[in-house]
Amino acid sequence: MCGIIGYIGNREKKEILLDGLKELEYRGYDSAGISILSNNELFTFKTTGKLINLETKCKDFTSNGFGIAIGHTRWATHGKATEINAHPHSSEESSIVHNGIIENYLEIKNELENKGWTFLSQTDTEVIVHLFEENLKSVENPLSAFKKTIDRLNGSYAILLITKKAPDRIFYAKNGSPLLIGINGDEVFFASSSTPLIGLVKEVCYLEDGDNGYINKDNFKTLKNVQPMNGEKISSQKDGYRYFMEKEIYEQHRILQDTIRGRILNDGISLELPSNFIDNINRITICACGTSYHAGLSAKYLFEREAKIKTNVIIASEFRYSNPIMEKDELFIVISQSGETADTLEALKLANKNNLKTLAICNVENSSIVREAKYSLLTRAGIEKGVASTKAFSSQVMLLWILGIYIAQNKNNISKDSIQKQIKNMYNSLKATKVNTKIHDRLKKLSKRYLHGHGFFFIGRDVFYPLALEGALKLKEISYLHAEGYPGGEMKHGPIALADSELFCVSLMPKHLLYEKIKNNTEELSTRDATICVISQECSDVADDVVLIDKYESYMEEFFAMMIVVQILALEIAIRLGNDVDMPRNLAKSVTVE
Ligand code: M6R
């Protein structure tokens, strides 16, 4: 989704902006631009498409000496992905970049048009820069004009504005969209996430909603809540893999060791939570979006079965506006890879407002969701670059499983023997995520038979139902083929009407959970001539194709082994179709607008 970079200092500003935007590239965008104010001249460059286009456009431009600069990658919301709609947006003497959505922009636009302002773009953002210049006419200084402008905006925003009227400073405002200020000596950086700042700054300040003002070389020392910048520069290398997604699939067995480190002990489960964490909790609500929602659905089965605690799972965008009933004895869990998903963040704020005990399961330390939640557990998957989530999902499911056993243990709902059995299954599940290259080769060959047809159904039962949803999501995200996940038993209640030889059905058939039931459901589809691809450790005579996984002793091991298969199947089909696996069309890595 949209990304922001800003810089105040003496270095070559173009390079700083382009390098920063490259670090944000994996998040998804469709156009980009930069504005640099140096020697009282304002230079703006914008292009559609990839950053290389922007680099080419400004290749002959240099800016020596002190200056201020802002840059942006745009994921279109208001107005198509055109050069004119790309940020920065400029008025006569000022330029602005913005993440988020200004909900009352049409009202402001009408007022400004009546006062003679002309708009070039179809964006909500352009109103901000013209409103700022309009306000400059009636107030004594740029800061007052900026504050007056911000006061007028409804919606979510992270904003940077530069103006010839104050060429030594960057004005900023944050509400609902993340924005950070990084400091290195007397240089100041801004970014919409920490990734571009790692390695560049020593200290960072995570702005809070409602923060606005300006920063220049003199006042940044007065910033509050400045903390050391943690984190190592992530490898931008694919390490021989064709795509980051492929690398991340192969990494899973290694990162899961980090997920469980210090949490699975010889005599039970230990988590970084207070000992009374689960006291007075009698029910759980899990709220998330996309893949994280699927991880949450798997947790429902595990929590209810193992910890015997009632669990409700809801998509965050549905939760927010449904007037949800929140009970005092409820634990509210949000799950998010990025920690910045707007719908999940807002749901969390609502739960906090209602005084629920809130817990974030998240991959990004210091993200908005981690900072908002009362408690948090990190999944420790490392930065995920592929837009289609893989290792984030496995680490979420593993951590939620651990949490389920932790709850069972602390509520005395589980015997010591059963805990030991679960721990053994967890270790074995971790091993099950190591990619078997023979299975990968088989999927590579098999993928050529699944490039057409009128759709895919992924079916599974119990925890394999959320895995079916996740398999279908992976496939549609990167192959652009229509795919749906369904509970196996539900097909005959409608979807089976679609069955014919051009309907592909990927059936998840675990030996250790409801095998006969899902086999029957698969047979029902086979009888109606659907093309069946079975994933199982057992051979199957109802299948057109069988992807045999290794032999496992528990259903969760089968879950993780099948997860690898559905991820690779999606990857290989998308590669054969010639798609950009890491940056699929229309998608953004981190969805910071609702
Ligand atoms: O960062 P989050 O986990 O909160 O993101 C939620 C979804 O946007 C995300 O899982 C999305 O569905 C992925 N593209 C799935 O591959």
Side-chain angles (χ1 to χ4, degrees):
M1 199 142 266
C2 302
I4 286 181
I5 294 290
Y7 176 69
I8 304 175
N10 289 307
R11 275 198 255 176
E12 172 51 82
K13 285 149 281 298
K14 177 182 83 175
E15 299 304 335
I16 299 259
L17 294 180
L18 289 172
D19 288 350
L21 293 178
K22 273 182 207 155
E23 294 289 342
L24 294 170
E25 202 171 17
Y26 73 98
R27 298 164 76 98
Y29 67 105
D30 39 50
S31 55
I34 56 174
S35 282
I36 294 170
L37 178 52
S38 177
N39 299 320
N40 217 30
E41 278 200 83
L42 187 58
F43 303 91
T44 297
F45 302 90
K46 312 203 276 190
T47 55
T48 54
K50 300 288 179 207
L51 281 174
I52 183 78
N53 301 346
L54 183 61
E55 247 171 322
T56 311
K57 192 159 189 180
C58 56
K59 72 175 186 324
D60 298 327
F61 172 80
T62 54
S63 61
N64 294 321
F66 176 80
I68 56 179
I70 54 178
H72 193 262
T73 42
R74 173 174 188 254
W75 186 83
T77 57
H78 293 64
K80 288 202 153 74
T82 60
E83 189 170 314
I84 284 184
N85 287 336
H87 300 208
H89 289 282
S90 300
S91 199
E92 283 159 15
E93 297 187 294
S94 320
S95 265
I96 190 171
V97 291
H98 160 227
N99 286 358
I101 292 177
I102 305 302
E103 286 165 4
N104 57 341
Y105 82 102
L106 280 176
E107 180 190 314
I108 302 173
K109 190 170 178 179
N110 285 340
E111 282 172 28
L112 289 169
E113 276 173 339
N114 288 338
K115 288 181 177 160
W117 289 95
T118 309
F119 285 80
L120 298 176
S121 77
Q122 297 142 345
T123 65
D124 52 338
T125 302
E126 195 183 351
V127 299
I128 311 171
V129 68
H130 294 317
L131 181 60
F132 169 74
E133 295 213 347
E134 175 64 26
N135 286 337
L136 269 178
K137 294 177 186 167
S138 59
V139 296
E140 71 274 25
N141 62 47
L143 179 61
S144 308
F146 184 71
K147 285 195 176 276
K148 192 171 171 195
T149 305
I150 298 304
D151 283 349
R152 192 58 214 288
L153 306 178
N154 294 339
S156 61
Y157 46 81
I159 291 170
L160 297 184
L161 179 144
I162 56 177
T163 176
K164 285 187 187 178
K165 294 280 182 210
D168 68 332
R169 63 197 60 184
I170 293 184
F171 293 91
Y172 64 87
K174 173 193 169 359
N175 187 48
S177 297
L179 190 60
L180 289 69
I181 302 177
I183 297 157
N184 181 44
D186 58 1
E187 289 178 305
V188 182
F189 296 76
F190 289 84
S192 50
S193 83
S194 59
T195 323
L197 301 185
I198 297 173
L200 270 184
V201 306
K202 296 199 168 63
E203 291 176 304
V204 71
C205 167
Y206 292 87
L207 293 171
E208 299 290 340
D209 283 349
D211 286 350
N212 61 59
Y214 73 84
I215 292 286
N216 65 9
K217 279 170 93 173
D218 302 320
N219 78 344
F220 71 83
K221 293 187 181 105
T222 61
L223 275 173
K224 293 195 180 81
N225 300 327
V226 173
Q227 46 184 282
M229 179 79 205
N230 296 322
E232 283 170 29
K233 195 110 198 120
I234 50 157
S235 160
S236 55
Q237 305 304 315
K238 293 182 193 138
D239 295 343
Y241 294 100
R242 294 165 292 174
Y243 290 95
F244 282 109
M245 181 186 175
E246 186 177 34
K247 178 182 168 193
E248 286 158 3
I249 292 172
Y250 272 75
E251 264 172 12
Q252 291 178 104
H253 76 285
R254 186 175 54 70
I255 64 100
L256 285 178
Q257 291 173 14
D258 291 335
T259 308
I260 67 167
R261 196 180 348 101
R263 291 168 170 165
I264 304 182
L265 309 177
N266 288 340
D267 56 346
I269 302 293
S270 163
L271 285 173
E272 316 87 277
L273 296 171
S275 56
N276 63 352
F277 182 72
I278 210 66
D279 291 0
N280 307 321
I281 293 295
N282 293 315
R283 66 192 88 201
I284 293 177
T285 296
I286 300 180
C287 202
C289 303
T291 287
S292 299
Y293 168 74
H294 298 156
L297 269 185
S298 327
K300 175 187 166 68
Y301 291 96
L302 295 171
F303 287 2
E304 294 198 338
R305 180 171 302 127
E306 308 302 344
K308 316 214 172 19
I309 187 158
K310 190 160 175 48
T311 305
N312 175 33
V313 192
I314 179 158
I315 289 179
S317 54
E318 287 299 306
F319 179 80
R320 286 183 66 183
Y321 301 108
S322 62
N323 298 324
I325 295 167
M326 293 181 235
E327 312 273 6
K328 278 204 184 73
D329 62 348
E330 183 175 331
L331 169 65
F332 191 82
I333 302 181
V334 285
I335 310 172
S336 175
Q337 187 285 129
S338 60
E340 302 298 348
T341 302
D343 287 317
T344 311
L345 178 60
E346 291 306 317
L348 172 61
K349 285 182 185 165
L350 198 60
N352 274 340
K353 221 187 213 164
N354 281 273
N355 292 319
L356 293 195
K357 187 175 266 189
T358 55
L359 169 68
I361 302 288
C362 192
N363 194 33
V364 182
E365 200 181 350
N366 269 319
S367 57
S368 303
I369 284 178
V370 167
R371 284 180 291 122
E372 177 70 28
K374 292 181 187 146
Y375 300 92
S376 60
L377 292 171
L378 293 176
T379 46
R380 305 174 184 159
I383 288 177
E384 189 180 60
K385 282 202 141 188
V387 164
S389 197
T390 52
K391 62 178 181 172
F393 176 72
S394 49
S395 62
Q396 288 166 346
V397 175
M398 180 59 88
L399 183 52
L400 287 159
W401 183 12
I402 293 173
L403 177 64
I405 305 305
Y406 173 86
I407 295 171
Q409 177 187 280
N410 287 19
K411 280 194 168 293
N412 286 323
N413 278 343
I414 190 168
S415 68
K416 286 216 161 77
D417 280 356
S418 298
I419 294 179
Q420 286 309 321
K421 208 164 150 200
Q422 292 285 336
I423 289 178
K424 185 173 157 234
N425 291 345
M426 284 171 186
Y427 279 119
N428 288 341
S429 296
L430 195 149
K431 288 186 203 138
T433 60
K434 187 160 172 60
V435 177
N436 176 332
T437 49
K438 282 196 186 124
I439 296 180
H440 192 156
D441 288 344
R442 163 115 178 91
L443 290 164
K444 214 179 259 178
K445 284 207 187 99
L446 206 61
S447 59
K448 65 172 175 285
R449 297 167 62 167
Y450 291 91
L451 304 176
H452 58 289
H454 58 74
F456 284 75
F457 277 103
F458 285 67
I459 60 168
R461 300 185 74 125
D462 202 279
V463 281
F464 293 86
Y465 160 50
L467 184 58
L469 288 172
E470 178 57 10
L473 179 65
K474 286 295 81 87
L475 186 67
K476 71 184 130 198
E477 281 186 300
I478 59 174
S479 73
Y480 318 141
L481 296 171
H482 183 84
E484 289 186 63
Y486 251 91
E490 188 64 12
M491 293 299 287
K492 55 181 153 318
H493 298 288
I496 205 164
L498 294 174
D500 63 20
S501 60
E502 296 294 290
L503 179 82
F504 298 136
C505 171
V506 179
S507 176
L508 308 178
M509 289 182 32
K511 183 178 170 199
H512 298 292
L513 194 69
L514 301 171
Y515 182 76
E516 290 304 325
K517 301 283 175 204
I518 187 70
K519 187 164 172 257
N520 290 342
N521 300 146
T522 310
E523 252 170 40
E524 287 155 8
L525 280 152
S526 168
T527 306
R528 283 154 188 91
D529 218 18
T531 299
I532 311 284
C533 175
V534 160
I535 307 175
S536 184
Q537 56 174 302
E538 298 291 314
C539 289
S540 166
D541 47 13
V542 297
D544 295 87
D545 291 307
V546 182
V547 180
L548 275 182
I549 55 169
D550 295 337
K551 299 285 177 200
Y552 296 103
E553 285 174 16
S554 70
Y555 74 87
M556 283 308 285
E557 292 163 62
E558 293 179 291
F559 177 96
F560 281 97
M562 287 188 197
M563 175 200 73
I564 297 286
V565 173
V566 296
Q567 290 171 345
I568 294 179
L569 182 66
L571 174 85
E572 291 302 337
I573 290 176
I575 291 175
R576 275 193 192 271
L577 291 171
N579 299 343
D580 183 344
V581 167
D582 285 333
M583 278 187 262
R585 72 180 183 203
N586 303 341
L587 297 183
K589 182 69 188 157
S590 166
V591 183
T592 49
V593 291
E594 72 165 310

